[in-house]
Amino acid sequence: MVTEEIPFLDLQGAYQELADELDAAAKRVLRSGWYILGAEVAAFEQEFAAYCGVNHCIGVGNGLEALSLILHAYGIGKNDEVIVPANTYIASWLAVSHNGATPVPVEPDECTCNINPALVERAITPKTRAIMAVHLYGQTADMDPLNELAARYDLKVIEDAAQAHGALYKGRKAGSLGHAAGFSFYPGKNLGAFGDGGAVLTNDPQLAELVRKLRNYGSTTKYYNEVIGFNSRLDELQAALLRVKLGRLDQWNDRRRKIAVLYQQGLRLTSLVLPTVPAWAEPAWHLYVVRSARRDRLQRRLAEEGINTMIHYPIPAHLQKAYGHMPIPEGSLPLTEKIHDEVLSLPMGPHLSPADQQRIIAAVCAILSEEQG
Ligand SMILES: *Cc1c(COP(=O)(O)O)cnc(C)c1O
C-alpha cells in the first residue's frame, strides 16, 4: 500500500486556489515595463498599512533587512544592546548583530514560548536601546508590560512580526504594537510572496521617511543621495502578487484557526504539551507547535507514515557556531534549550485537508499510545 505524503505546508495548493488572479497580476506587471518601486509597491504599502492599522508601510527586500533597517534608522549600533528572546529564529538576533549591537537574550515564558516580560527588566543596562518582541509561531508576545518597561527606560520596542500577519493582541494587529515592526513575506509565511520580500511598519513619520530612503541607496529623488543607504526593495512583481494574497489573509488565517482547534481537541488526551493561548491572544497560527520529551522518535515515526513535520528550531541562537564568540555557554538558557529539544511543528496551513488532518491526529495518537503500552 502506498500512503500519500502529507506535506508540512502545501504552497502549490495556495497557488492553485488563486491561480487566475495571481496570473493576471503577474501579467499586468510583466507587461507594464516597470519593475522596481512603482504603482504596485505603493498600492501594497497602503493596503498592508491599512490592514495592520498603522500609518506607514515601507516594502523592503526581506524580513531580516526590515528589522535591520529599523535598528539602523534608530541609530542603534556599536556599544548598544538590544534585548532579544532567547527562543526565536536566528534572524531576530542577526538584525542586531548586523548593526554592530549586542543581542542580550531573555528566556521565554514556559507556556507561550515567547519572551517572558517578568525577566526583561533585570536584563536592562545603561547600554540597552531597544527590546525586540518576537511573535513566535504566530502568537503575539505580551506587549503591555514590554511597552511599559520601554516607556520607563526610554527604549524602542521593535516587533519581529515575521510569523504574525493578522495576529491580534487585545484586539489590535501585530505590526501596530510597538514603535516599529518588521514583516517577512518569505513564501512559507502566512502572507507569503513568490520569492523574498519584507516590510517595515510604523506610526513614526520620521522613521518611515528615513527607512524609505535607506532601502533605496539613501535617495528619494533618483541620483540625489541624502544618507548612506542600502538596496533593499520589495519589487513590483512580488507586491502585485502579495496584493492578491492579502485579500485572502483573514480567510486563510481562519482556516488555520479551525485546524488549531481540531488539533487541540484531537490531541488533548495525549502526553503532548499543546500550545497555550492566553485570553488576550488571537494567534495567526503560523505554526502548530507541540512539545514532547520523545520528540525525535515521534518525528521519525510520523515520517514513516508519510507525515512531514518540522522543528522550529533545532539549535538555539546562543549555541549556533555563528554566536560562538558570545559568552553564553550551554546550560545558561535552560528553558530555551529544553524547548529546542522538545518542539515539533505539525503540518499547518490553509490547504491542509480535513482528511489529512484526521490522519495526522490518528497517527500521533497511535504512536504515543504504543509508547505507553
Ligand atoms: C522568517 C523570519 C524572519 C526573517 O525573514 P526573511 O524574510 O526570511 O529574512 C525573521 N524573524 C522571524 C521570527 C522569522 O520567522
Side-chain angles (χ1 to χ4, degrees), residues 62-64 89 91 134 160 162-163 184 189 197 313:
N62 54 61
L64 172 58
Y89 181 52
V134 183
D160 177 344
Q163 301 187 357
S184 164
K189 310 292 189 189
Y313 296 92

Side-chain angles (χ1 to χ4, degrees), residues 156-192:
K156 299 296 182 195
V157 173
I158 298 162
E159 298 175 73
D160 177 344
Q163 301 187 357
H165 317 72
L168 297 174
Y169 176 74
K170 301 185 179 177
R172 288 178 295 136
K173 287 255 168 65
S176 71
L177 306 171
H179 292 93
F183 280 89
S184 164
F185 306 123
Y186 178 80
K189 310 292 189 189
N190 288 37
L191 178 58

Side-chain angles (χ1 to χ4, degrees), residues 67-294:
L67 297 170
S68 230
L69 288 168
I70 293 168
L71 292 163
H72 184 91
Y74 277 136
I76 295 170
K78 218 167 168 298
N79 298 319
D80 293 332
E81 293 176 356
V82 176
I83 289 171
V84 295
N87 184 46
T88 183
Y89 181 52
I90 197 165
S92 321
W93 288 43
L94 292 177
V96 176
S97 302
H98 282 316
N99 281 283
T102 302
V104 176
V106 167
E107 285 265 72
D109 173 272
E110 166 104 54
C111 292
T112 65
C113 297
N114 271 323
I115 196 166
N116 184 346
L119 303 178
V120 170
E121 187 163 15
R122 73 188 69 158
I124 296 173
T125 75
K127 292 179 171 180
T128 309
R129 298 282 312 279
I131 302 169
M132 180 87 75
V134 183
H135 309 315
L136 205 63
Y137 317 144
Q139 178 166 296
T140 60
D142 189 4
M143 296 302 291
D144 283 350
L146 297 179
N147 280 319
E148 189 269 324
L149 277 174
R152 199 137 46 83
Y153 288 91
D154 192 24
L155 310 174
K156 299 296 182 195
V157 173
I158 298 162
E159 298 175 73
D160 177 344
Q163 301 187 357
H165 317 72
L168 297 174
Y169 176 74
K170 301 185 179 177
R172 288 178 295 136
K173 287 255 168 65
S176 71
L177 306 171
H179 292 93
F183 280 89
S184 164
F185 306 123
Y186 178 80
K189 310 292 189 189
N190 288 37
L191 178 58
F194 294 78
D196 277 313
V200 171
L201 276 90
T202 183
N203 282 320
D204 176 345
Q206 277 168 323
L207 180 78
E209 199 190 328
L210 185 48
V211 171
R212 212 168 269 289
K213 284 176 199 164
L214 286 170
R215 74 164 169 190
N216 188 33
Y217 304 114
S219 158
T220 37
T221 309
K222 210 171 168 76
Y223 305 133
Y224 289 79
N225 303 84
E226 301 161 55
V227 292
I228 307 276
F230 302 85
N231 176 0
S232 179
R233 302 173 297 214
L234 183 66
D235 66 65
E236 287 286 287
L237 191 55
Q238 298 306 335
L241 298 170
L242 284 167
R243 292 179 70 195
V244 174
K245 290 185 86 179
L246 179 57
R248 290 301 173 96
L249 178 57
D250 283 341
Q251 198 183 321
W252 288 11
N253 278 351
D254 255 1
R255 292 190 208 160
R256 289 174 182 270
R257 238 162 252 141
K258 292 193 175 102
I259 289 165
V261 167
L262 289 180
Y263 273 141
Q264 301 285 85
Q265 287 169 355
L267 301 174
R268 76 182 191 287
L269 298 178
T270 66
S271 58
L272 296 177
V273 177
L274 303 181
T276 307
V277 182
W280 43 256
E282 177 83 66
W285 295 105
H286 174 58
L287 298 171
Y288 187 85
V289 178
V290 300
R291 283 167 59 190
S292 164
R294 306 198 56 196

